[in-house]
């Protein structure tokens, strides 16, 4: 039996690493209906044609990213677009009442001055920096539930915080003693799965 209170979710950048993994996880979620999947490279193709590991799942085809086609078809959008690519779209979707979870690093910092110092440019939507809720649901569940804009944490911070925050909150570890030595593969460095790079 299909629940009647399913949330219509769109995923922009659905053919990238984080996008297709979100598709895979949400396709079988009982309270989610994947309503829009965008891909600039694979627009017009069935998802299972490109990613055979999702064959058998009921998925809409990839389509081109056109904001007017998302509004009215999705209540929540997961933006799996790279930094500086999806910001304008996110502002547009929020203004039309769509909630957004941003997988890039665009909204993870609260202070526009820290953003400028970190990235060397002004943030195009500084007011949203202050509004975005850091999406580590294990520690911010209530805020994430109510947010219009969620800044999804990255892989390093998630791995580190899930392990350390419980220890810090129980005074079982001295924060100044913490040393984090983390390594990344190609996706963490924003490289595509191509041989010649």
């Amino acid at each position: 039996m299909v629940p009647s209170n399913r949330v219509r979710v769109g995923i922009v950048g659905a053919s990238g690493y984080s996008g297709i993994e979100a598709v895979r996880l949400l396709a079988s979620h009982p309270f989610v209906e994947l309503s829009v999947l965008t891909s600039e490279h694979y627009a017009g193709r069935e998802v299972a044609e490109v990613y055979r590991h999702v064959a058998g799942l009921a998925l809409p085809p990839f389509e081109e990213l056109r904001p007017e086609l998302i509004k009215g078809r999705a209540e929540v959008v997961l933006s799996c677009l790279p930094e500086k690519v999806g910001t304008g779209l996110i502002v547009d979707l929020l203004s039309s009442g769509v909630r957004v979870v941003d997988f890039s690093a665009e909204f993870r910092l609260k202070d526009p001055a820290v953003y400028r110092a970190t990235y060397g440019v002004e943030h195009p939507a500084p007011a949203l920096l202050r509004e975005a809720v850091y999406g580590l649901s294990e520690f911010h569940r209530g805020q994430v539930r109510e947010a219009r804009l969620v800044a999804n944490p990255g892989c390093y911070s998630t791995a580190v915080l899930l392990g350390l925050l419980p220890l810090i909150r129980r005074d079982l570890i001295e924060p100044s003693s913490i040393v984090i030595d983390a390594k990344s593969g190609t996706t963490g460095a924003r490289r595509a799965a191509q041989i010649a790079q």
Side-chain angles (χ1 to χ4, degrees):
M1 184 168 130
V2 176
S4 60
N5 56 343
R6 296 173 83 192
V7 177
R8 291 175 299 143
V9 175
I11 302 177
V12 296
S15 62
Y17 283 109
S18 58
I20 197 61
E21 186 63 6
V23 168
R24 185 187 68 78
L25 291 170
L26 291 176
S28 58
H29 194 291
F31 296 107
V32 169
E33 173 194 341
L34 288 174
S35 57
V36 182
L37 303 176
T38 76
S39 171
E40 293 301 299
H41 296 289
Y42 302 113
R45 294 181 65 185
E46 295 296 327
V47 178
E49 276 180 54
V50 181
Y51 293 103
R52 294 186 181 172
H53 69 284
V54 297
L57 298 176
L59 299 170
F62 287 127
E63 57 189 270
E64 63 182 288
L65 176 54
R66 293 177 46 203
E68 68 275 10
L69 295 179
I70 297 171
K71 298 172 188 175
R73 291 174 58 204
E75 300 160 76
V76 177
V77 165
L78 277 58
S79 177
C80 299
L81 300 172
E83 283 78 12
K84 299 178 183 55
V85 173
T87 307
L89 171 69
I90 289 169
V91 171
D92 189 26
L93 291 172
L94 290 171
S95 70
S96 67
V98 177
R99 291 180 178 208
V100 177
V101 178
D102 181 41
F103 279 40
S104 80
E106 278 299 278
F107 296 98
R108 293 177 185 162
L109 300 173
K110 290 285 189 195
D111 186 338
V114 174
Y115 181 93
R116 185 183 332 103
T118 303
Y119 296 107
V121 295
E122 298 291 333
H123 195 281
L128 289 178
L129 286 177
R130 293 180 192 96
E131 178 186 339
V133 171
Y134 194 68
L136 194 59
S137 60
E138 289 82 357
F139 299 99
H140 302 109
R141 188 171 306 279
Q143 296 119 304
V144 167
R145 184 180 292 119
E146 301 301 320
R148 285 189 327 145
L149 174 59
V150 174
N152 196 66
C155 54
Y156 285 132
S157 54
T158 299
V160 168
L161 292 171
L162 288 178
L164 291 177
L165 279 177
L167 298 173
I168 292 169
R169 288 183 170 178
R170 289 178 179 84
D171 291 322
L172 297 173
I173 189 170
E174 171 56 46
S176 65
S177 72
I178 297 169
V179 175
I180 299 162
D181 182 10
K183 309 293 187 279
S184 178
T186 57
T187 60
R190 297 290 189 259
R191 294 186 65 189
Q194 299 173 359
I195 294 171
Q197 283 196 357

